[in-house]
Amino acid sequence: MDAGLAAVLGALAGSVATIGAALATGWAQREEARIAARAEHRRERREPRLEAYKAFILATSDLREQSTFFTVKELVPDDPGDLSTDLLFQAASALKDSALEVSLAGPRRVSKDAIKIQRLGSDLSTNVSLLKHALENPESVSQHLRRSFLRDTVATARGVSRAIDKFVLQAQAALDDDGSLS
């Protein structure tokens, strides 16, 4: 190989190496910027989520408190009374706005659990009202139907309790998520 060809090949190799290094550096900088932007986005979303989750958990705690006696068949009062059903209805109604906030804050798995709790709370309120009516009117509601209302009320109250526990764990996981697994 003559000296001229060697010089041209050497210059070409140097140029290719320089271009390759520039491309790799550019790619690494873009990747680093993307990671930084994603981390900042996650930080900005965490605080509103935390507030939405806290408000929802407070609302669900009130619902759980009002539904405690309905989770065990033997503890269900013979006459739930107007105050009990009203407080349960209010607790279930209070979940609506809070569930909306959680749904908008996300992520999807937490939103689904919040919506489920809100629906179960509404179902529980309805079931307790039906049970109350059945217990207050034994002459017009069959014993079979009263037992059915009681069974549905207990099952729904237990479902509310389990769903709340699941929501708390999902919310913790969402707040702890640093994005490294996504």
Side-chain angles (χ1 to χ4, degrees):
M1 177 179 307
D2 74 12
L5 182 60
V8 169
L9 288 177
L12 182 62
S15 297
V16 168
T18 302
I19 291 170
L23 289 174
T25 302
W27 176 83
Q29 287 174 342
R30 279 192 307 277
E31 190 65 22
E32 188 176 312
R34 187 184 68 78
I35 290 169
R38 183 177 171 105
E40 183 61 28
H41 175 72
R42 286 188 181 277
R43 270 193 296 281
E44 289 174 0
R45 299 237 341 137
R46 187 181 192 285
E47 192 61 34
R49 281 181 177 171
L50 177 63
E51 293 306 314
Y53 296 170
K54 280 175 29 178
F56 187 71
I57 289 170
L58 284 173
T60 60
S61 295
D62 189 33
L63 179 66
R64 188 188 300 231
E65 183 179 320
Q66 298 305 322
S67 65
T68 299
F69 288 109
F70 297 102
T71 58
V72 178
K73 189 168 95 172
E74 292 77 23
L75 295 179
V76 174
D78 293 334
D79 179 17
D82 292 334
L83 180 62
S84 177
T85 54
D86 288 346
L87 289 174
L88 187 60
F89 178 77
Q90 290 170 1
S93 294
L95 287 177
K96 288 180 184 174
D97 290 338
S98 193
L100 175 63
E101 290 293 322
V102 170
S103 295
L104 293 175
R108 179 181 219 113
R109 64 186 180 275
V110 177
S111 297
K112 285 172 59 176
D113 286 341
I115 291 167
K116 179 179 180 179
I117 292 169
Q118 192 259 323
R119 287 183 184 150
L120 284 171
S122 179
D123 291 349
L124 179 61
S125 177
T126 301
N127 288 346
V128 169
S129 294
L130 289 171
L131 178 63
K132 179 182 179 296
H133 174 75
L135 293 173
E136 288 175 348
N137 301 293
E139 66 283 344
S140 62
V141 179
S142 72
Q143 186 173 356
H144 174 72
L145 196 53
R146 285 194 304 272
R147 282 196 307 264
S148 176
F149 288 153
L150 177 61
R151 184 179 58 249
D152 291 348
T153 299
V154 170
T156 306
R158 289 177 181 170
V160 165
S161 187
R162 283 190 304 271
I164 291 170
D165 292 340
K166 183 179 177 192
F167 173 82
V168 171
L169 294 175
Q170 290 284 15
Q172 287 173 341
L175 292 172
D176 288 343
D177 182 16
D178 64 357
S180 61
L181 299 176
S182 300

